[in-house]
Structures are given as C-alpha cells and as structure tokens.
Amino acid sequence: MSREKPTTLREAGPGLRRTATHLRPYLRRETPLVAGGMLALFVEVLMRLAEPWPLKVVIDTVIAASGTDVAGAAPGDVRATLTIAAVALLGVVLVRAVAAYLTTLAFALAGNRLLTRVRADAYAHLQRLPMAFHDTARTGDLVQRVTGDVGRLKEVVVTAGLPLVGNIVTMLGMVVVVAFLDWPLALLMVAVVPLFLLAGRETSRSIHGVSKEQRKAEGELASLATETLSSMRVVHSYGLADHLQGRFAQSNGRSLAEGVRTKRLSARLERSTDVLVGLATALVLYVGAQRVLAGMLTPGELVVFLTYLKATFKPMRDLAKYTGRIAAAAASGERVVDLLEVEPTVRDHPAARTAPTLRGDLVLDDVWVSYTPDAPVLRGVSLRVTAGERVALVGTSGSGKSTLASLLSRLRDPDAGAVRVDGHDLRDLTLESLRSQVSVVLQESVLFATSIEENIAHGRPGATREEIEEAARIAGAHDFVEALPHGYATVVGERGATLSGGQRQRIAIARAAVRRAPVVVLDEALTGLDEGTEAEVLAALERLTAGRTTIVVTHDLAHARDCDRVVWLEGGEVVADGPPAAVLTPGAARAVG
C-alpha cells in the first residue's frame, strides 16, 4: 500500500489551528477551572523562583562565618539566619507543592470534561450524518476516531499544552532574574535556545508526518478487527481465519513500525536537548567559577545561578518531550476535526416545524435522486399513496425501490422534486417529529445487545411495560419471549445473534408496532425466512399494518399481490402502476424472478 506524503510543519500548522478552532468553545466552558489552574501555576512559578534564595543565604552566611569575606553575606547571628533560611525554604516548598497539586487537579479535571464533551459531540455528530456517509465509511476507523483519537486531544490541550505554558513562563522568569544577577552568564545560558528550536522544528515535522501514518494504520487495524468480529459466521464457514490473520498481521506490523519511528524521533529530540543542556551547564559552571574568583559573583549567587540554570532548562526538556506528544496528538486531532467537519446533508433547517399527527397521505412529485453525479437512481418519479393504502414497490435489483422507501423517513433527501405527507414537504418538518411517525421493518432485523424489553422500547422510548407486551402480541412474539429463561429481561447477543431469524424479525416488528406510526415501510421484511417462519411473520405484519399507510418493498410477487396497488420501477422510473392483477402479468413475473 502506498504511503501518503509526510505532512510538513507548514501543513501541520493549519491542522493545529483547525483543531484549536474546534476545541476553543469547549475550553471556554472550562474558563473558571482553567483560570484557577493558571493562577495556581503562576504561584508555583513564583515559588520556583524563590526556592534557591534561602540556599544562597545559607552558603554565603556559612562562608562568611568561616572567616572568608563574602559580599552580601548575612550579618548577625549565624544560627538565627540559618534557621530563618531553613524555615523559609520549607515554606516555599510546601506552597509550591500545594500549588502544583491544585494545578494538576484543575487541568486534569478541565481536560477530562473537555474530552467527555468532544467525544459525546463526535458520537452525536456521527448519528446525524446521512446514510450516504455511513455506506462508504469504515466502522472500525470511525470507532477509532471517537475513542482513541479524541483521547489524544487531551494531550494537545491539557496534558501537554497548558503545563507547557507554565514551563515557558518559568523559563522566561528565571532568565530575567539571572540577567539581573549576571547578564553575561545569562546570555551564555540562552545561547543554546536557538539550537534547541532548530532541532525541535525539524524533528516535530517528522513526528507529525509519522504520527498521521500511525493513526491511519491504527484506523485500518480497528476496521479490519471490527469487520472480522462482526462476520465470524462467514469467517468460520469459508475458512478465512488464516487469510484475515495475514491481513491483520500486515496492518499490525505497519502500526508497530510507525509507532517505533515516532518513539525514536521523540527520544532523539529529548536526548539532543540533554546534550545541549549539558553543554550550557558546563560553560556556565566554568565561566561562573571564574567570575566568583574575580569577585563579580558570590558563591551563593553562583549556586542560585546554577539552580536556575537547571530549572530553566527543565522546560526545554519538557518541551522536547511534549513536542513529540503534541505532534502525535495533533495528527489525531486532525482526524477528529475531519469527522466533525463533515456536514450532514439531511438535517433540520432553521424554519423546520414539528409535524402534526399525520394521516399518511404520501406524494412524490418529480423526484430525482443520485448517489454519484450523472447517475440518477430515481428519475422524475411521481407517485401518490392515499392514507391507509397498501402499495407494493417491485422491480429488478437496482431499480430504486429501497431508495424510494428511504425518502419517506428522510434517510435521504431528493436532489430535485419533493416528497410530501398530508401536504407537508418533509424538509419543512423536523426529523424527530417526522421519523417518530414512520415505522420501518428491514430485511436485516438488527437488534442491540440488551434486553428484549429494551429492544422493543427503542421503537418508542418511554413506552410502558403494558405497551411493550401489546406490541409483542401484535408481532406474535409474546409467547416465545415469555418462554425464555428471563422473559422480557432476556439479554440478546450482539445484533440479536442468540435468537433465530424469525424471532429477531418478530422482535423488530414489535419495535415497529410500539411506535404506533401512521406510515409503515416494509423493506424486504420477509426475505430469507423459511416457509413456516414466513407465515408467522406475515401474519404479524398484517396486524402491524392494518389501517396504516404501508409501503412494501419486495421482489416476491406473491406478497405484492396482497397489496392494494403495485408500482413497478425500472431504471429509476415508474413503468407501471395499478391493481396487482393489472401490473403483475406473467411477463412481469419472469422479469422479477
């Protein structure tokens, strides 16, 4: 598989700005917490600046007490001076420890809150995206973005970003202090900073590019694992385990290789910083000692200078460490932002209103739908279905039957034309109020890995136990559910795998029945069932659709004959519309079969 060109620093900058733009509203909601953390951080910085000075007083006092003339040594009682210095040092350390604790707590809490909100919004955004998006997206990669990539955003904002601000403030404050102590030494100390920035710039560019490749590889790995685990019946039936294991090993190896490259680059930056810090320390120590001997510094001031030197370069070490983490997290941030910037094509417009209680009178007026440009699936379809009518949509595969049915609950919107219910354009109604009045039973009756009661209640959240049981009776499911060990509290396997096909379908019908919707869409709802099960499900569907506007998508002409009308689609156009006896001619039967 060919690799994308590694992202350069210039390309990474806009990516970081995009991430920051999306995170800013979330961070703004945590302003009091972040402000408190920053205040505690600045107190910690002040304590870091104050911490070496008691040591200076002690050294100079001890040297002066030994008979050596030291400028700036504390006069008077040596014991009292040492006691005050020791108490002062203890007080400074205690205040710094408390401030550091409060800083960590505030930033961690802000980060976790931010992370929780971003993840929740990303999950909600995924559910608002249209079926056209989900038909082409890989589930595992989307899961990776919502979980792993969102988690790494915290490193950009809190774990690395905010402490980095404190470290930079500390470094600037200490540079100012040492400049007052001895400006030639201060210049010598900061001389290595340009070298560090140059090395960090080149390495962070490489880390960002490699990190994007690693996150892409991890997304592919998650997608492969998700697809495999959700298709174990096919994997076992066709003996695909070894083949899929090979693909997994290839993706896993790629992820490992990119991860090692990232760690190697980060380690190289950190060790390069250590060398630069060691070089600066050696130079300052040598030149500083010479200046002490020349009487330009006291021994205590040199100790303060060296302590500041160590503390000043600690932010540089942290910056080297955080640079790799920020570059890696920025790659994840771009993946999340890419997802959040996908605009839902089916959504409520500002003037959308709540749908009234609908009768179910449906009209399609010159409707055109395309999945790809210049390849329309529906070509100027016009159709009217009166309230309570049962209409079958038949035709060859790819004729547009399911696409037409999907328009009724606005899983898609037409590219041109309009779909109306009771005279209301569907786009003028809110999605929630419209979809609550449309029940859909699909060919694949997907259930969730929860109790049967909850699965049925998904049709109408808040439904009572009595309403759930009534829906189950309509679906012909009550008896077999009651016979299960835990009845309605029985937890089904993922996608309902612990139930038979007929049982899953009847639970899906119960989920539709509890909705009490005036419009029902049956999209190949009887496909794949054996003869005995089909009869039971067919009876349940008859009860479900009684008195309701019903659209039946089917390739089985026997089912179509039970409808009031049959609409024949070919190439996205209506080629026949009328009573079953008029439309379902022997020639038509051969065409569908």
Side-chain angles (χ1 to χ4, degrees):
M1 182 180 293
S2 62
R3 293 184 178 178
E4 296 176 355
K5 181 181 178 181
T7 304
T8 65
L9 187 62
R10 179 175 295 179
E11 292 168 331
L16 286 171
R17 286 194 292 273
R18 286 173 62 211
T19 303
T21 299
H22 278 272
L23 292 181
R24 195 174 294 120
Y26 297 96
L27 194 58
R28 193 177 295 124
R29 298 173 64 177
E30 303 301 328
T31 298
L33 199 57
V34 173
M38 293 299 293
L39 178 61
L41 182 63
F42 285 121
V43 171
E44 181 188 0
V45 169
L46 290 175
M47 293 303 101
R48 286 188 193 179
L49 293 174
E51 192 170 345
W53 289 96
L55 184 61
K56 174 221 182 273
V57 172
V58 168
I59 291 174
D60 288 345
T61 299
V62 169
I63 292 176
S66 65
T68 304
D69 184 19
V70 178
D77 188 351
V78 173
R79 188 180 298 275
T81 301
L82 296 180
T83 300
I84 293 172
V87 171
L89 179 60
L90 179 60
V92 167
V93 171
L94 288 175
V95 172
R96 184 165 70 85
V98 172
Y101 171 77
L102 295 176
T103 301
T104 302
L105 188 63
F107 287 165
L109 185 55
N112 285 318
R113 286 180 176 177
L114 181 147
L115 170 65
T116 300
R117 292 194 179 103
V118 171
R119 178 173 288 140
D121 286 354
Y123 181 73
H125 183 72
L126 271 177
Q127 295 183 83
R128 288 192 297 268
L129 293 179
M131 291 306 302
F133 172 85
H134 290 286
D135 287 343
T136 57
R138 301 189 70 182
T139 302
D141 183 62
L142 296 179
V143 171
Q144 184 71 13
R145 295 189 193 212
V146 173
T147 55
D149 287 325
V150 171
R152 288 177 184 252
L153 283 177
K154 188 174 72 172
E155 297 194 13
V156 174
V157 180
V158 177
T159 307
L162 294 177
L164 195 57
V165 172
N167 285 335
I168 292 174
V169 171
T170 300
M171 183 169 67
L172 294 176
M174 289 184 173
V175 167
V176 170
V177 173
V178 297
F180 278 106
L181 281 176
D182 192 292
W183 66 266
L185 276 184
L187 289 177
L188 188 63
M189 183 177 73
V190 300
V192 299
V193 173
L195 297 176
F196 166 75
L197 294 177
L198 181 62
R201 179 178 182 272
E202 294 300 318
T203 305
S204 64
R205 178 196 311 174
S206 301
I207 292 174
H208 186 272
V210 173
S211 296
K212 287 195 71 172
E213 289 295 319
Q214 183 185 7
R215 300 308 295 163
K216 181 180 178 182
E218 290 175 356
E220 293 175 355
L221 197 65
S223 293
L224 179 57
T226 301
E227 291 168 0
T228 302
L229 294 174
S230 63
S231 308
M232 290 307 297
R233 190 177 299 276
V234 176
V235 172
H236 286 304
S237 298
Y238 285 86
L240 298 176
D242 291 341
H243 171 71
L244 293 173
Q245 180 62 36
R247 287 180 56 193
F248 189 86
Q250 182 180 7
S251 297
N252 201 23
R254 181 184 167 197
S255 177
L256 172 64
E258 301 295 356
V260 170
R261 288 180 64 196
T262 302
K263 291 298 183 184
R264 185 172 66 245
L265 290 168
S266 298
R268 186 174 72 185
L269 178 59
E270 292 180 40
R271 299 294 77 79
S272 298
T273 303
D274 287 341
V275 171
L276 291 175
V277 170
L279 175 63
T281 303
L283 289 173
V284 169
L285 180 62
Y286 177 79
V287 175
Q290 298 294 326
R291 296 180 72 78
V292 169
L293 293 175
M296 298 178 181
L297 284 175
T298 69
E301 288 172 340
L302 179 59
V303 170
V304 169
F305 204 103
L306 291 173
T307 303
Y308 274 1
L309 177 68
K310 180 180 178 181
T312 300
F313 284 127
K314 180 182 181 299
M316 288 183 62
R317 289 192 180 96
D318 289 345
L319 186 60
K321 178 175 66 177
Y322 290 142
T323 296
R325 294 167 68 179
I326 289 177
S332 292
E334 287 186 66
R335 282 166 49 84
V336 176
V337 171
D338 287 342
L339 174 62
L340 292 174
E341 288 184 346
V342 177
E343 290 291 338
T345 55
V346 178
R347 56 185 174 182
D348 293 335
H349 64 70
R353 60 185 183 276
T354 302
T357 300
L358 301 176
R359 299 186 313 275
D361 192 4
L362 303 175
V363 174
L364 280 75
D365 184 9
D366 194 24
V367 168
W368 291 74
V369 175
S370 299
Y371 294 146
T372 57
D374 302 322
V377 179
L378 295 180
R379 302 169 178 268
V381 173
S382 293
L383 183 67
R384 174 159 190 164
V385 180
T386 58
E389 192 175 15
R390 185 183 180 94
V391 176
L393 302 180
V394 300
T396 56
S397 296
S399 60
K401 304 185 299 296
S402 293
T403 299
L404 190 155
S406 70
L407 297 174
L408 304 181
S409 53
R410 287 195 69 195
L411 298 182
R412 288 180 170 86
D413 279 340
D415 301 328
V419 182
R420 299 185 180 89
V421 57
D422 296 349
H424 306 284
D425 191 317
L426 300 191
R427 288 167 294 196
D428 294 335
L429 305 176
T430 62
L431 285 169
E432 183 180 359
S433 66
L434 169 66
R435 290 175 178 172
S436 67
Q437 299 191 64
V438 179
S439 288
V440 180
V441 181
L442 303 172
Q443 175 181 350
E444 184 185 6
S445 50
V446 176
L447 303 182
F448 297 94
T450 183
S451 70
I452 290 176
E453 181 176 357
E454 288 183 69
N455 268 288
I456 296 175
H458 283 318
R460 185 162 59 89
T464 65
R465 177 60 180 266
E466 291 74 20
E467 291 170 331
I468 290 170
E469 291 188 8
E470 179 186 354
R473 288 189 175 92
I474 291 173
H478 179 73
D479 291 341
F480 86 76
V481 171
E482 285 287 271
L484 294 172
H486 302 289
Y488 283 88
T490 301
V491 176
V492 301
E494 188 174 4
R495 303 178 72 85
T498 54
L499 300 177
S500 69
Q503 289 173 331
R504 287 198 301 271
Q505 196 69 325
R506 279 177 280 173
I507 296 298
I509 293 171
R511 182 171 58 197
V514 79
R515 207 171 183 84
R516 297 176 179 173
V519 178
V520 178
V521 176
L522 307 179
D523 193 348
E524 301 284 7
L526 292 170
T527 301
L529 300 177
D530 59 65
E531 186 174 345
T533 302
E534 181 178 312
E536 294 175 350
V537 173
L538 186 58
L541 290 175
E542 291 287 347
R543 293 190 292 270
L544 168 67
T545 60
R548 291 177 168 83
T549 303
T550 305
I551 303 299
V552 181
V553 178
T554 182
H555 68 277
D556 190 327
L557 299 187
H559 299 150
R561 288 190 178 93
D562 293 332
C563 295
D564 302 320
R565 281 169 57 200
V566 173
V567 175
W568 192 287
L569 293 171
E570 281 297 338
E573 298 179 326
V574 176
V575 296
D577 181 1
V583 175
L584 301 179
T585 64
R590 285 193 297 272
V592 175

